[in-house]
Amino acid sequence: MNIAALTATEHWDSQSGIAKGPVTIARQRRTYFAYALMVLLGALPALLSASSAWQAAGLGLWLPGAGFLAVGGWASLLFPVGMILFVASLVAWFWAGAVIAPVIVWLGLAALAGGMAGESVWSGGPVIAALSMAGIGLAFRARTQRQRREGWARASARKDFVPASLAEVRVQTAHEPDPDTREMGPEEMAALRYLLDRSLQPIEEWGGFDVIDQFQPAALRYQINHMGFALGVAQCAYLPSFHGYLGQAQRNLIDKYLLPKVWDYWVLESCWGKLNFTNWDPADRDNIMLTGWLGMHVGQYMLNSGDRRYLEPGSLTFRLNDRKAWKHDFNTMCGSVSSNYDTAEFGLFACEPNWLYPICNHYGMGALAVQDAVCGTGNLPRYLPGWFRQTKAEFTDESGSIIGLRSQHTGLPVPFPVGEAGYAPFQNIFAPDSARLLWSVARKEIAPAIHDGPDGKPRITLPGKGLDTGNYKPGHTTAFAAILVGAREFGDDRIAEAAQNSLDADCGRDVTDGVRRYTKGSNDANVYAALGQFMRTGDFRRSFAIGPTASCLTGPVLEEASYPDVLVARAWSDGTGLDLVLHPGRGAGVQSIGLARLTPGATYQVTGAQEAEFTTTADGTAKLSIPLSGRTEVKIARG
C-alpha cells in the first residue's frame, strides 16, 4: 500500500510489529541456514577424529579466528585478533563494496589456524568458541529486542502528535512564493558565488573540493551532484531567464562527473564486489549512487534551462581510457534505473554491491520523476506504487521510520543515519503527501533541540560532536544544513531560522570578497547550506518536477555576462520582455551584457542601460552597456 494513501494514524497503527518483509525474512533465513551449515561442517573433523589441522580449521568456521583456540597456547591470543580483522573486513565490505573481503578473512584465518596446529588440539577450544558464539548471539538478540521496544514507543508517541503536526505542515506548504517576483538578496548571492567559484574553474581542477575517497559520502560525485542541485534550484527560483555563466557552471559539473577520477571506483567495486573483470559500465547493473544521482542532476538542468543536449546519444560518455568507453545519455541513465527496478527483489536496488540504501533509491525515483517532467515518460504511475509497497514491507522499522541500510545478500539491517528530515525533501519531488507526513514527524522530533540563544534568536543544540559526512571530521555543519533544507522545503520558518542561526553562530561563517562559506564545514556541507539559503517552500520539488514558467523558457534571456563582474540577482521573462536585477561583483563600472531569444529585427525599449532603445540582430540577439553601481534594475520591453 502507498504510504501516501494512509492517514497519519493508520500509518503508525499499521507498523505495529512490522520490521521484516517476505524478501528480508527469506534472505535472513538463508543466512542463518548457511551459518548453521558452517558450524556443522566445522564440527565434522572433530566428530570424525580427523587430524588436528582439520579440527583447528573446522573450528575456524564457527567464528573468525576461532581455529586458533584449537591450536592452544599463545596462539589462542590470535582469536580476538582474528575477530578484529573480520570486523575490519566488514568495514571494507561496507565502505567499498568489497564483498570478498569477509570471505577471504574468515576462510584465510581458518586455513592459517589449520597450518599452525600441532599434534593435538586444545580441548578447551571448542568450549570457548561455543560460549563466544552464544554470547555474541545473545548480545545481538538483546540489542534487537531493545530496539524493537524503543521503536514501538516512538510509534506510539508519533501516533499521538502526527495528526496535528501534519495539519500544520499542510497549511505551511499551501503557500508558495510567487515565481514572478523572486530576487536574490546579498546572502543568496554570497552563497551562489561559493558554488560558482568551484563550478567555473577548469574541468580537471578541484579547488575547493574535498578529495578524500571515492567510495563513501565524501566522494567527489556527491559534491558535484549536490552543487548541481543547488545551482538548479537557484536557476528555477530566481534566474530562469539567465543562461550565461550559470548554465556553463552546471554543464561544467556534468563534464567533471564524466572524468574517470569521479566514477572509476566502479571498476574496483565490479571486480571485488561482483567478480566482474570485463564489463565496468557504470550505468548497467546496480550503482544507483551514480545513475539515480546523476539522472536527477542532468534532468534538473535540462528542465530548468530548456537545454536538451543530454538527450543526444553519447552525450554522457564514460571514457575510462583509449580502449574502453560506455556511451550514455539522460534517457539511458534513467533507463538503467527503471530496468533495475524491474528486477529488484527488494523493490529497491543497490549502490555498492550488496548494499541497499533507501536514500539513494529516493534519488533513483527522483531521476524517474524528472524524466517524466522533461520527456513526458510515465515512470511514476508505473513504479511508484510498487516502490512504496516494497519500501513499507522491507525497509520500515517498528517506529514507522525507513531503515537506512540493508544487506541484499543477508537481509540484515545496518545502522545508517538518515532520518525523516533527510528523506522528506527528496520524497517531495515524487510523492508530496507522503513527504509531508515524513516532515510532520521530523519537525516535532527536532523541536526539543530548539532554544533561544544569547541574542534571543532561536538556535539548535545537537548532542555530541557530530560528524561532517563530507570530510569525516567532527561538526554539526552538515546536520544544520540538512535541517535547513527540510525546513525551507516545507515552509517551517522557525526551524529554518534556528538552523540558519546555528550555522552562522557555530560553524565558522566567513564572507570574503563577497563569497560566503562555513570554515568548520566540508565542501558538501557548504553546498547544502547554500541550497538551504536559496530555498523557500516547495523550491526543491519545483526544480525537479515542474520547472520554470513557460514564459521564461520561451522569452528573452540574459545570455552573456562576465563573472564575477556582473552578479545576477533576478532574471525573469513574461515571454516578450525581460526583467533583470544586477550587482557589481568587483566594483562599480560599465559592464557589457548579451541578450538572446529576442524577436529578430525588432525594437526594444530599455531602462537601466546606457542605451534607451535598441534593435535586435537577425538572430535575435543584442548587447547592452550597463552602468553598475549597487543594485541595478534593467527592464527590456518591446517597443
Side-chain angles (χ1 to χ4, degrees), residues 69-119:
L69 294 172
V71 176
W74 66 267
S76 300
L77 300 176
L78 295 176
F79 172 45
V81 174
M83 291 294 289
I84 292 171
L85 285 175
F86 183 70
V87 170
S89 74
L90 293 177
V91 172
W93 184 18
F94 164 74
W95 191 264
V99 175
I100 61 175
V103 177
I104 291 174
V105 169
W106 195 331
L107 297 183
L109 290 170
L112 180 59
M116 293 174 60
E119 295 295 326

Side-chain angles (χ1 to χ4, degrees), residues 155-276:
S156 178
R158 290 172 174 181
K159 181 181 174 182
D160 290 339
F161 70 67
V162 161
S165 180
L166 180 57
E168 293 174 2
V169 173
R170 286 171 174 156
V171 171
Q172 291 169 179
T173 54
H175 304 285
E176 296 185 350
D178 181 357
D180 298 354
T181 60
R182 308 280 300 267
E183 178 183 336
M184 285 191 165
E187 287 295 319
E188 285 75 29
M189 287 191 293
L192 181 61
R193 290 189 65 177
Y194 178 91
L195 303 174
L196 293 171
D197 283 356
R198 285 150 182 77
S199 303
L200 290 172
Q201 65 184 311
I203 302 299
E204 296 192 359
E205 293 185 9
W206 300 96
F209 285 78
D210 290 305
V211 185
I212 301 174
D213 75 275
Q214 302 313 318
F215 297 102
Q216 284 298 312
L220 288 169
R221 61 183 177 276
Y222 301 133
Q223 299 174 55
I224 291 170
N225 291 152
H226 286 150
M227 292 175 80
F229 296 169
L231 290 172
V233 167
Q235 178 153 56
C236 184
Y238 302 95
L239 308 170
S241 298
F242 175 37
H243 291 177
Y245 59 73
L246 180 59
Q248 187 64 56
Q250 295 175 80
R251 294 190 297 275
N252 281 4
L253 289 172
I254 295 170
D255 288 344
K256 276 182 179 292
Y257 200 105
L258 299 177
L259 296 175
K261 181 184 183 75
V262 175
W263 63 267
D264 67 4
Y265 69 89
W266 192 244
V267 175
L268 297 173
E269 294 203 8
S270 296
C271 292
W272 63 40
K274 291 177 170 290
L275 302 181
N276 175 2

Side-chain angles (χ1 to χ4, degrees), residues 615-634:
T615 300
T616 63
T617 62
D619 61 355
T621 63
K623 290 189 179 296
L624 297 176
S625 298
I626 311 296
L628 285 181
S629 178
R631 179 181 181 277
T632 302
E633 290 189 39
V634 179

Side-chain angles (χ1 to χ4, degrees), residues 220-447:
L220 288 169
R221 61 183 177 276
Y222 301 133
Q223 299 174 55
I224 291 170
N225 291 152
H226 286 150
M227 292 175 80
F229 296 169
L231 290 172
V233 167
Q235 178 153 56
C236 184
Y238 302 95
L239 308 170
S241 298
F242 175 37
H243 291 177
Y245 59 73
L246 180 59
Q248 187 64 56
Q250 295 175 80
R251 294 190 297 275
N252 281 4
L253 289 172
I254 295 170
D255 288 344
K256 276 182 179 292
Y257 200 105
L258 299 177
L259 296 175
K261 181 184 183 75
V262 175
W263 63 267
D264 67 4
Y265 69 89
W266 192 244
V267 175
L268 297 173
E269 294 203 8
S270 296
C271 292
W272 63 40
K274 291 177 170 290
L275 302 181
N276 175 2
F277 302 102
T278 55
N279 179 17
W280 302 322
D281 183 349
D284 185 13
R285 296 298 305 165
D286 296 336
N287 205 13
I288 196 171
M289 58 188 172
L290 182 146
T291 54
W293 293 55
L294 185 59
M296 277 186 66
H297 180 173
V298 174
Q300 182 201 35
Y301 167 70
M302 291 196 296
L303 180 64
N304 295 306
S305 67
D307 183 352
R308 296 296 188 263
R309 71 181 66 197
Y310 297 109
L311 296 177
E312 294 297 320
S315 54
L316 299 172
T317 293
F318 297 88
R319 180 169 297 283
L320 182 64
N321 51 43
D322 292 338
R323 292 176 290 107
K324 285 189 177 290
W326 294 272
K327 293 183 178 181
H328 285 282
D329 55 63
F330 173 65
N331 280 326
T332 66
M333 195 71 49
C334 295
S336 176
V337 174
S338 59
S339 65
N340 273 275
Y341 278 138
D342 286 335
T343 58
E345 292 182 83
F346 277 91
L348 310 186
F349 71 95
C351 289
E352 290 93 358
N354 172 68
W355 298 116
L356 300 166
Y357 290 86
I359 185 60
C360 284
N361 279 267
H362 277 69
Y363 286 73
M365 197 55 65
L368 297 187
V370 75
Q371 187 187 29
D372 282 357
V374 171
C375 302
T377 47
N379 292 315
L380 293 188
R382 177 180 177 185
Y383 290 103
L384 198 56
W387 189 91
F388 267 117
R389 184 173 57 252
Q390 291 294 89
T391 300
K392 176 177 169 56
E394 308 290 348
F395 294 90
T396 304
D397 66 17
E398 291 84 359
S399 73
S401 290
I402 298 172
I403 293 169
L405 174 60
R406 193 179 287 285
S407 166
Q408 184 176 27
H409 297 326
T410 69
L412 298 174
V414 178
F416 192 74
V418 181
E420 282 75 10
Y423 291 116
F426 290 92
Q427 203 166 114
N428 201 38
I429 296 170
F430 52 84
D433 288 341
S434 175
R436 286 191 284 268
L437 179 57
L438 290 175
W439 183 251
S440 72
V441 174
R443 64 194 296 266
K444 286 299 183 182
E445 294 182 350
I446 291 168

Side-chain angles (χ1 to χ4, degrees), residues 431-611:
D433 288 341
S434 175
R436 286 191 284 268
L437 179 57
L438 290 175
W439 183 251
S440 72
V441 174
R443 64 194 296 266
K444 286 299 183 182
E445 294 182 350
I446 291 168
I450 300 177
H451 61 93
D452 288 338
D455 55 1
K457 297 179 179 179
R459 297 266 295 276
I460 298 176
T461 298
L462 298 176
K465 295 182 178 180
L467 176 67
D468 188 328
T469 53
N471 59 15
Y472 314 127
K473 295 180 180 179
H476 291 298
T477 311
T478 297
F480 291 146
I483 292 171
L484 175 63
V485 166
R488 290 292 191 202
E489 181 70 358
F490 295 96
D492 241 309
D493 293 338
R494 176 171 168 78
I495 295 178
E497 182 185 0
Q500 187 65 68
N501 291 340
S502 298
L503 281 167
D504 293 343
D506 300 337
C507 300
R509 182 179 187 274
D510 174 77
V511 180
T512 301
D513 295 329
V515 180
R516 192 196 72 183
R517 69 186 183 109
Y518 293 101
T519 61
K520 295 182 181 180
S522 64
N523 179 49
D524 205 41
N526 272 278
V527 169
Y528 234 61
L531 173 60
Q533 183 71 57
F534 303 148
M535 287 172 56
R536 296 297 182 270
T537 307
D539 276 347
F540 199 67
R541 168 178 165 75
R542 278 192 299 277
S543 74
F544 290 99
I546 300 171
T549 59
S551 63
C552 292
L553 292 174
T554 58
V557 294
L558 174 60
E559 187 65 38
E560 297 177 20
S562 176
Y563 178 80
D565 303 286
V566 181
L567 305 179
V568 186
R570 169 173 163 79
W572 184 85
S573 174
D574 62 0
T576 57
L578 180 63
D579 288 355
L580 303 173
V581 175
L582 310 176
H583 293 255
R586 288 197 288 203
V590 177
Q591 296 290 337
S592 175
I593 63 171
L595 309 177
R597 225 156 58 190
L598 301 161
T599 302
T603 299
Y604 285 80
Q605 307 297 320
V606 188
T607 59
Q610 288 185 339
E611 303 86 351

